[in-house]
Amino acid sequence: MKTIEDLKRLREQVQSDTRLRYTTGTKIIIGMGTCGIAAGAREVMSAVLDEIAKRHLQDVTVTQTGCIGMCEKEVLLDVVRPGEDRITYGKVTPELVPQIIAEHVVNGRILEELVVGKFSE
Amino acid sequence: MRELSLQVLDLVRNSIEAGATQVALAITEDFTADRLTIEIRDNGRGMNSEECRRALDPFVTSNQTRKAGVGLGLPLVDMYTRQCGGCLSLESSPGKGTTVKAVYQHSHLDRPPLGSMTETVKAIIIGNPKLDFRYSHTVGQRTFCVTTYELTGILGDIPLTHPDVLIWITDYLSGHFNYLYGGGPGENH
Ligand code: FES
């Protein structure tokens, strides 16, 4: 079983590892109001975290937000790449997550057909 | 939302929306008393008795009390606890934070399953790295406790979303949940 000691060792390793693979500085924000959670926001978040781990993406932050007032479009997931518009995807399922990460987060190509909103930050 | 771990996620979100910087979540599964207790204590802005009453009313919650940081989760949890031979108590006062305590009969046939606490705790810790979050879970004689503070303290400037850290957190949490339910020995018992 993984222990706190393992985390301490991990910190040493990460600190000595200077090979950053992707430095995207991208933010991913997931709507976790009541209906977001009911619609599967937690599973979407898990899928995002799995994908970050699998692709070894560094410097991506994942945060939660509460009710955004678009219940019928839940699960809502926003991607904000540095210096670009904030893109809101709607009706996101865990199955769509790998595609969003590969296309948008890594390659900067917005998946237009899933977009429900665009905001300039 | 027929899974207690999802309801918990929703209640913790309430606390954060209510401005809490500290949230302590404690789950106790007491087989002797046949009771499952979920307690969420926060230091958010709190509610007066009128707001508490409204927070439990499913027909008003969706609008007005949203400002006080109350989603639809509370009336839902209230309903489930009562269906399962338990009750919900809400203790709150303005400026002093809120404590929500949901008690269920552990063996009750209609009690929603706990579901994946690994996923819920992971979502809370990673999605709110600035929140001083404390989680403790007791099953019979076994206890597991983790705090965001402890993890970020070790990690320093390495983010919780670092890929290797994510893998560690997943293994750490699922390993300890196994331990709680009878798996091998944990480290903080
Ligand atoms: S909780 Fe989903 S939009 Fe409000």
Side-chain angles (χ1 to χ4, degrees), chain A residues 86-98:
Chain A
R86 173 174 179 151
I87 305 296
T88 303
Y89 291 106
K91 295 203 183 289
V92 176
T93 61
E95 291 71 36
L96 289 169
V97 166

Side-chain angles (χ1 to χ4, degrees), chain B:
Chain B
M1 230 191 268
R2 236 196 88 85
E3 201 180 285
L4 296 180
S5 62
L6 287 175
Q7 297 173 18
V8 164
L9 188 58
D10 189 43
L11 295 180
V12 171
R13 188 73 232 161
N14 280 351
S15 294
I16 297 169
E17 307 272 311
T21 55
Q22 293 172 346
V23 175
L25 162 64
I27 299 185
T28 312
E29 300 185 54
D30 180 339
F31 300 107
T32 319
D34 192 18
R35 216 177 282 149
L36 170 72
T37 308
I38 299 175
E39 189 186 276
I40 299 170
R41 185 182 293 267
D42 72 46
N43 69 344
R45 69 179 74 90
M47 295 175 282
N48 59 33
S49 49
E50 168 61 15
E51 287 168 319
C52 283
R53 197 185 57 73
R54 285 208 313 231
L56 289 169
D57 184 339
F59 298 105
V60 293
T61 304
S62 44
N63 311 313
Q64 299 99 313
T65 38
R66 269 287 154 83
K67 282 191 254 38
V70 179
L72 268 171
L74 224 35
L76 195 75
V77 176
D78 186 33
M79 181 190 84
Y80 277 122
T81 51
R82 276 189 277 171
Q83 281 173 1
C84 306
C87 63
L88 175 80
S89 70
L90 193 57
E91 214 180 280
S92 188
S93 55
K96 290 223 175 60
T98 302
T99 300
V100 176
K101 193 170 171 185
V103 182
Y104 306 79
Q105 183 192 329
H106 199 293
S107 64
H108 201 287
L109 282 176
D110 294 328
R111 180 177 66 75
L114 196 52
S116 178
M117 281 309 298
T118 302
E119 295 306 321
T120 284
V121 173
K122 200 163 84 169
I124 295 169
I125 290 179
I126 293 169
N128 309 283
K130 296 222 165 59
L131 180 71
D132 182 355
F133 176 66
R134 179 192 170 81
Y135 176 66
S136 63
H137 192 150
T138 301
V139 181
Q141 304 296 321
R142 298 184 174 206
T143 293
F144 166 55
C145 181
V146 63
T147 64
T148 300
Y149 184 72
E150 179 181 24
L151 305 186
T152 54
I154 293 170
L155 287 168
D157 54 5
I158 299 167
L160 287 162
T161 46
H162 185 286
D164 297 334
V165 175
L166 287 178
I167 293 169
W168 178 86
I169 291 180
T170 306
D171 289 354
Y172 178 71
L173 293 176
S174 55
H176 280 85
F177 285 115
N178 276 338
Y179 154 74
L180 280 180
Y181 294 102
E187 56 173 345
N188 47 8
H189 39 152

Side-chain angles (χ1 to χ4, degrees), chain A residues 3 11 34 42 46 56 60 64, chain B residues 3 5 119-120 123 154 161:
Chain A
T3 64
R11 178 198 52 198
T34 303
R42 188 186 66 179
S46 295
H56 215 82
V60 176
Q64 306 174 349
Chain B
E3 201 180 285
S5 62
E119 295 306 321
T120 284
I154 293 170
T161 46

Side-chain angles (χ1 to χ4, degrees), chain A residues 31-37 66-74 76, chain B residues 10 66 71-72:
Chain A
M32 288 216 174
T34 303
C35 72
I37 295 171
C67 169
I68 323 177
M70 289 201 281
C71 285
E72 70 287 354
K73 301 264 167 56
E74 300 274 10
L76 295 156
Chain B
D10 189 43
R66 269 287 154 83
L72 268 171

